[in-house]
Amino acid sequence: MADVVTTRTLFQGERKLITSYVNVSDGSGGTTKIVDASALTKNSKNEAVDNVSLNRIWFNVSAATTAPVQLQWNLSSGTQTPLLALNETDNYDFSDIGGITNPKETNYTGDIDVVVPAAASSGETYTLICEWIKHY
């Protein structure tokens, strides 16, 4: 059996992107791309999105404290860069500092991944609502 994963774009404008991610784990862990920068809508100047910053996040993670879900900046090769580790239920607002920006390491893609650890138990749920700022 595989994790049951639903990702959706709730809103996409010139500057903002809001995504949702829901995962019911089968206990095997896994990685899901929740932002594909190359697939986002270009701006009015026909410029493609290079990357996004995390502006706000709301989350509910039912996993044990030993199995937090991770958001990661995606790299085309090499070790992925952690953005946040999330557990329990909370929300974070980074808008006062302009969001958490992509460090643009060598081989960055601009994409964002969610990683459910292999330590997750079957039936645990992960729900994330993210507000992103698009950068061209």
Side-chain angles (χ1 to χ4, degrees):
M1 187 172 160
D3 285 3
V4 177
V5 179
T6 304
T7 59
R8 293 186 325 164
T9 297
L10 303 176
F11 173 81
Q12 184 175 182
E14 180 101 354
R15 183 170 178 268
K16 246 181 219 180
L17 171 70
I18 300 174
T19 60
S20 73
Y21 165 86
V22 178
N23 179 319
V24 178
S25 180
D26 69 350
S28 64
T31 301
T32 303
K33 184 179 298 189
I34 63 166
V35 174
D36 181 349
S38 66
L40 297 175
T41 304
K42 294 180 179 181
N43 66 11
S44 58
K45 297 176 186 176
N46 204 33
E47 297 169 320
V49 175
D50 179 67
N51 67 86
V52 295
S53 297
L54 180 61
N55 204 41
R56 295 181 183 151
I57 184 168
W58 299 263
F59 58 92
N60 182 345
V61 176
S62 73
T65 56
T66 57
V69 66
Q70 282 192 9
L71 285 177
Q72 295 182 345
W73 306 110
N74 182 275
L75 302 175
S76 59
S77 64
T79 302
Q80 304 306 309
T81 306
L83 165 57
L84 287 175
L86 305 169
N87 210 339
E88 301 183 359
T89 300
D90 209 340
N91 65 87
Y92 299 139
D93 185 343
F94 304 106
S95 61
D96 287 346
I97 60 169
I100 299 178
T101 58
N102 189 317
K104 296 185 180 180
E105 296 182 41
T106 303
N107 300 320
Y108 83 95
T109 65
D111 300 342
I112 305 292
D113 294 331
V114 174
V115 179
V116 173
S121 296
S122 182
E124 290 180 333
T125 60
Y126 303 82
T127 302
L128 313 175
I129 306 292
C130 302
E131 179 184 283
W132 308 94
I133 302 298
K134 295 160 63 174
H135 301 283
Y136 298 90

